[in-house]
Amino acid sequence: MSTTTSRGVSRPAPAEAAPARPRRGLRGRATFNFWLFTGPFLIGLLVFVYVPIGWSLWLSFFEARFTVTPDKFVGFDNYRQMLENSDFTASLVTFTVFAAFIVPLTWAISLGLALLVNRLRFMRAFFRSVFFLPTACSYVAASLIWKMSIFSGVRFGLMNTVLGWFGVENIAWLADPDPPWYWLVIVSARLWLQAGFYMILFLAALQNIPPELYEAAAIDGARPGWQTFRHITLPQLRATSTAVVLLLLVAAYQAFDEFYNLLSKTTWGRPPLVELYYTALGQAQDYGAGSAGAVVLTLLICLVTLLQGRFMGFGRGEEAE
Amino acid sequence: MPGRKAHAAPPRKRRRDRGGVLGSTGLYVATGVAGLLFLVPFYLLVRNSLSTDARITGENWQFFPTDLKWGNVRELFDDPTVPFARSLWNSAVVGVLHTLGTLLVCSLAGYGLARIPYKHANKVFYGVLVTLMVPSAVTFVPSFVLVSSLGWVDSLRGLIIPGLFSGFTCFLFRQYFLGFPKELEEAARMDGLGYWGAYWRIVVPNSLNFFAAIATITFISGWNAFLWPLVIGQDPDAWTVQVALSSYMTNQTVNFHLIFMATAISILPLVFVFLFLQRWLVQGIAQTGIKG
């Protein structure tokens, strides 16, 4: 029992014969108040989080098409169906490719932006705002700009116009999976949307590095620039870096908005959530298989989270950069 | 909370000028180029939203619009095919109620968990923490099932209520209240205020900064949410602005200028939030390190 309860429990027994009854009354009042304060939240959590999780587990063992009160128990059939379903496994591959691009790129670019902004003397707040502003946009809005203006597959798209100046033919960015240009569209959109947010985290961390460390390094003859960056800045940012990578991974796993909007009519490039959306709420309304997929996905996320916390420690990742 | 200090006017000692004028110029050039890249999408959005379709799809790419079509705003709201005004209204109502509700429910719970001595408080807290491991986006199938069996599909209730119980926001409030100076409350308690009184009259008024930061972040994520509103809003009258925008993209007829105007308007409230509440926002994010 740590801080939360220490006040009621560890208060030293009063020197005078403080009677037991008022104390129990106090504690009873605390208990009552505890439930009064947390009750509404806990009830909501139970109904809207725990019940869906339980329901999902339960549904995943039943044949549940077009119904959520199924009676046909099928054991692990839904799981087998999902894992043998090439669309679902392909979506896991899609996620892996996506994460392999977006996580290191966002990490490096948001850190780079933070280093830039942190060194500015004038207009620091201005540039911080500029990089941070895209966070205000929704993924839907960004998808729209990306799909209909920047990476529009026709001649009036910005990219095709610019490439046209160099004599490059129009590229169908999203309409053709070969070559898979759609990755460029999807990764750049998310990069634009989220780099500023992680830059803020890195900025906060950079400003918490004691300046004495740099002074000491200078005295020891470390050249400013790469040497101090590698031996002081990066190690000092380790905790933030780890947190950022973890947040990026989880966010990548839950990618839905931009894939759904950018690739709505296509069958390629579907990450797991989009696949589940079509499985459970599409034509087939297969809640059983959808739930099984959700359970598989949840287990994977938990696994990745645990593995990352366990093994990465981030040291090697930084050295390799 | 190490981040707390971060933005309290960093009295950073000026380190040695690295590289002098040349390095400093390079620094500003690099930052400026990056900044321009980040601003291009905004520029395109504004340019397209105030142009005609012919101008947008024209053969020669014109960087600067010659005349601004402010009439596009009116045309957008008069367009009967997509209930855009209705979707804006839905988003505003959902955003505000979602924010207020989350603040109320989660702050109370966070305070209870942090400060009210109860034997099993830690066990309850673990029960909250466990839910963080399960990403909410993954439970949308059963959540949809649950909400539809409550008859809340296509309703504001369905859009708002399930989102109020964020384990993460509760966790943030608990962490914050753990760091709240106890002395203030103890003085209040001695004056005869109960937990409830101390909470409303001492704790909340002294925590407005934190509440504002969480409110800003919650509002932004509510306004920008897509998956859940998409699942719940089957009828166009229950669409939020994000779902309405998305419907433009899959529509057969494409009115570029209207689509971009709608997008620009959908972003406007948050740009204001960003520009005016940035201090709280940055503070809040730096303190908590959360995803918006």
Side-chain angles (χ1 to χ4, degrees):
Chain A
M1 296 280 146
S2 64
T3 40
T4 39
T5 53
S6 63
R7 209 141 55 96
V9 176
S10 68
R11 179 175 290 173
E16 319 100 62
R21 236 183 53 210
R23 268 189 69 196
R24 199 179 305 143
L26 257 181
R27 195 176 296 176
R29 218 171 64 205
T31 304
F32 173 76
N33 274 297
F34 178 85
W35 291 112
L36 191 68
F37 273 78
T38 58
F41 175 78
L42 293 176
I43 290 171
L45 201 68
L46 197 69
V47 173
F48 292 105
V49 179
Y50 274 100
V51 167
I53 292 173
W55 201 334
S56 190
L57 261 176
W58 184 74
L59 276 176
S60 71
F61 292 111
F62 284 82
E63 184 181 310
R65 287 173 191 268
F66 301 101
T67 175
V68 293
T69 47
D71 43 20
K72 193 175 166 206
F73 183 82
V74 294
F76 282 94
D77 271 8
N78 285 323
Y79 288 88
R80 205 171 54 224
Q81 182 197 329
M82 281 313 264
L83 291 174
E84 283 172 359
N85 178 349
S86 61
D87 287 342
F88 184 69
T89 45
S91 78
L92 295 177
V93 175
T94 300
F95 159 73
T96 311
V97 175
F98 181 54
F101 278 119
I102 198 70
V103 173
L105 265 178
T106 312
W107 180 86
I109 288 181
S110 54
L111 176 58
L113 291 177
L115 289 170
L116 278 181
V117 170
N118 196 42
R119 283 187 55 196
L120 296 179
R121 303 216 174 149
F122 316 105
M123 294 172 57
R124 178 193 289 196
F126 170 78
F127 277 111
R128 195 189 62 190
S129 303
V130 167
F131 296 129
F132 190 42
L133 199 57
T135 313
C137 294
S138 66
Y139 280 90
V140 183
S143 305
L144 224 149
I145 302 173
W146 254 244
K147 182 178 184 174
M148 301 207 153
S149 201
I150 300 179
F151 289 102
S152 174
V154 285
R155 60 181 154 58
F156 61 82
L158 174 66
M159 273 320 234
N160 280 343
T161 302
V162 171
L163 290 175
W165 295 340
F166 301 99
V168 179
E169 291 284 304
N170 282 346
I171 295 175
W173 298 99
L174 291 163
D176 188 1
D178 184 35
W181 286 117
Y182 65 89
W183 280 120
L184 181 68
V185 184
I186 281 183
V187 168
S188 62
R190 181 169 278 237
L191 205 54
W192 180 72
L193 282 166
Q194 68 179 11
F197 175 84
Y198 293 100
M199 174 199 72
I200 297 287
L201 297 190
F202 277 125
L203 264 179
L206 280 176
Q207 289 171 358
N208 275 341
I209 300 178
E212 295 79 34
L213 285 180
Y214 291 100
E215 281 155 21
I219 291 170
D220 289 346
R223 272 171 287 119
W226 176 244
Q227 276 196 343
T228 49
F229 175 72
R230 187 177 152 185
H231 293 292
I232 296 175
T233 313
L234 267 186
Q236 288 285 318
L237 291 180
R238 179 167 300 190
T240 307
S241 281
T242 313
V244 165
V245 169
L246 193 66
L247 287 170
L248 283 171
L249 263 177
V250 173
Y253 239 124
Q254 304 194 44
F256 177 85
D257 302 9
E258 75 268 48
F259 283 92
Y260 178 88
N261 284 300
L262 287 169
L263 300 172
S264 54
K265 297 254 173 66
T266 63
T267 48
W268 60 83
R270 278 187 187 174
L273 270 195
V274 176
E275 191 55 42
L276 286 187
Y277 176 83
Y278 286 120
T279 305
L281 302 175
Q283 298 293 320
Q285 301 248 337
D286 193 337
Y287 295 118
S291 296
V295 172
V296 171
L297 205 54
T298 307
L299 291 179
L300 276 177
I301 295 176
C302 292
L303 188 72
V304 169
T305 312
L306 290 177
L307 281 183
Q308 201 227 1
R310 178 101 185 235
F311 289 114
M312 276 192 77
F314 221 76
R316 273 164 296 149
E318 276 164 10
E319 297 293 321
E321 272 308 313
Chain B
M1 252 182 258
R4 174 98 40 107
K5 278 174 270 152
H7 286 269
R12 294 186 332 128
K13 252 191 260 171
R14 285 282 161 238
R15 298 194 289 276
R16 291 187 302 124
D17 192 347
R18 302 183 202 154
V21 178
L22 208 73
S24 155
T25 312
L27 175 68
Y28 275 88
V29 169
T31 318
V33 169
L36 273 182
L37 281 179
F38 270 69
L39 288 176
V40 162
F42 287 110
Y43 173 73
L44 289 175
L45 180 60
V46 175
R47 166 192 176 270
N48 291 350
S49 66
L50 295 174
S51 299
T52 58
D53 272 9
R55 170 73 34 87
I56 298 169
T57 59
E59 190 69 47
N60 296 312
W61 217 82
Q62 278 167 315
F63 213 84
F64 299 103
T66 42
D67 50 347
L68 302 178
K69 301 279 181 213
W70 292 102
N72 288 354
V73 180
R74 153 152 282 171
E75 202 188 325
L76 171 67
F77 284 104
D78 287 345
D79 179 12
T81 55
V82 173
F84 186 69
R86 177 64 191 257
S87 75
L88 268 182
W89 170 250
N90 286 342
S91 278
V93 172
V94 170
V96 169
L97 293 183
H98 170 243
T99 305
L100 292 178
T102 305
L103 283 187
L104 182 71
V105 172
C106 294
S107 75
L108 284 176
Y111 184 77
L113 287 168
R115 279 301 167 82
I116 302 182
Y118 168 57
K119 223 179 357 173
H120 302 297
N122 276 353
K123 284 178 201 153
V124 175
F125 180 55
Y126 292 140
V128 175
L129 279 189
V130 166
T131 65
L132 296 185
M133 285 295 277
V134 184
S136 61
V138 169
T139 56
F140 73 88
V141 175
S143 296
F144 170 72
V145 167
L146 175 74
V147 166
S148 72
S149 66
L150 289 170
W152 289 3
V153 171
D154 284 332
S155 75
L156 291 179
R157 272 176 310 187
L159 281 169
I160 297 168
I161 295 176
L164 297 182
F165 310 98
S166 154
F168 198 58
T169 311
C170 169
F171 169 76
L172 293 178
F173 270 113
R174 175 185 177 269
Q175 299 308 101
Y176 170 80
F177 288 131
L178 283 178
F180 189 85
K182 257 185 182 155
E183 298 74 24
L184 277 175
E185 285 160 273
E186 271 161 10
R189 300 287 303 285
M190 294 227 271
D191 289 345
L193 285 177
Y195 288 107
W196 196 251
Y199 178 75
W200 284 109
R201 297 179 43 190
I202 308 295
V203 177
V204 173
N206 283 295
S207 307
L208 289 183
N209 270 355
F210 189 76
F211 275 79
I214 297 290
T216 317
I217 292 164
T218 310
F219 181 79
I220 289 170
S221 64
W223 183 269
N224 282 342
F226 177 62
L227 176 55
W228 185 247
L230 176 75
V231 168
I232 286 294
Q234 317 251 312
D235 174 10
D237 275 347
W239 283 355
T240 64
V241 68
Q242 308 298 339
V243 181
L245 284 184
S246 172
S247 81
Y248 278 122
M249 261 182 284
T250 47
N251 251 353
Q252 289 305 315
T253 52
V254 176
N255 284 318
F256 282 99
H257 62 292
L258 295 189
I259 296 175
F260 283 106
M261 179 54 79
T263 311
I265 290 176
S266 81
I267 291 178
L268 219 50
L270 290 197
V271 170
F272 275 117
V273 166
F274 263 60
L275 295 182
F276 292 117
L277 303 181
Q278 207 186 51
R279 191 172 60 90
W280 281 324
L281 189 55
V282 170
Q283 224 174 45
I285 289 174
Q287 265 179 32
T288 57
I290 65 175
K291 159 117 167 67

